[in-house]
Amino acid sequence: EYNSSQWEIFNAANPVETDLLEAKFHVSNAEVLAAAMSETDRAVKELARAQNSLETVQALVNRSLTPELKTVENEITAAERSDADLTFSNVSFETIKTTLDHLIQRVHTSQT
């Protein structure tokens, strides 16, 4: 999975797509760390890295993507909060990745 993510990032059409793919990569890492390895502290750090990638995207995109970016940020914040009871919901990770996939597709098709 790491290699395929890196190839996607390498083949991204533009910096916005690259940053969105980076965010998705960090969300996937957080999911593995939380679910398979029970390393919630590291999972929260990966979610913070995803947030950083999204902050970079905000400066680069047009306003039409702002609502979806805000949705992803809210989903990540909710996932981070679910760590308070030391459990993450797999559904939240899948929701975040689905929203990111949608954003990536929008950015990709708008550039072609």
Side-chain angles (χ1 to χ4, degrees), residues 3 12 20-21 23 31-32 34 39 41 49 61 64 66 73-74 85 88-90 95:
N3 287 336
L20 290 172
L21 287 164
E31 180 178 28
V32 170
E39 295 193 30
D41 290 342
R49 289 180 179 123
V61 297
S64 68
T66 300
E73 288 176 348
N74 291 340
D85 62 8
F88 283 95
S89 166
N90 284 338
T95 301

Side-chain angles (χ1 to χ4, degrees), residues 7-104:
W7 276 110
E8 285 180 328
I9 291 167
F10 179 73
N11 291 318
N14 58 61
V16 172
E17 192 174 339
T18 299
D19 288 327
L20 290 172
L21 287 164
E22 288 266 350
K24 183 178 172 190
F25 173 74
H26 291 300
V27 170
S28 294
N29 284 346
E31 180 178 28
V32 170
L33 288 166
M37 302 173 79
S38 299
E39 295 193 30
T40 55
D41 290 342
R42 287 180 61 198
V44 169
K45 288 177 184 175
E46 284 297 315
L47 291 174
R49 289 180 179 123
Q51 286 278 28
N52 289 341
S53 293
L54 293 176
E55 288 173 11
T56 302
V57 168
Q58 285 183 343
L60 301 173
V61 297
N62 63 41
R63 296 204 185 274
S64 68
L65 295 178
T66 300
E68 285 181 272
L69 284 170
K70 190 66 176 163
T71 297
V72 174
E73 288 176 348
N74 291 340
E75 291 169 349
I76 290 173
T77 300
E80 289 171 330
R81 273 194 227 124
S82 73
D83 175 51
D85 62 8
L86 299 177
T87 60
F88 283 95
S89 166
N90 284 338
V91 174
S92 65
F93 290 115
E94 290 305 316
T95 301
I96 296 166
K97 291 189 296 185
T98 299
T99 306
L100 282 167
D101 282 338
H102 183 315
L103 270 168
I104 292 163

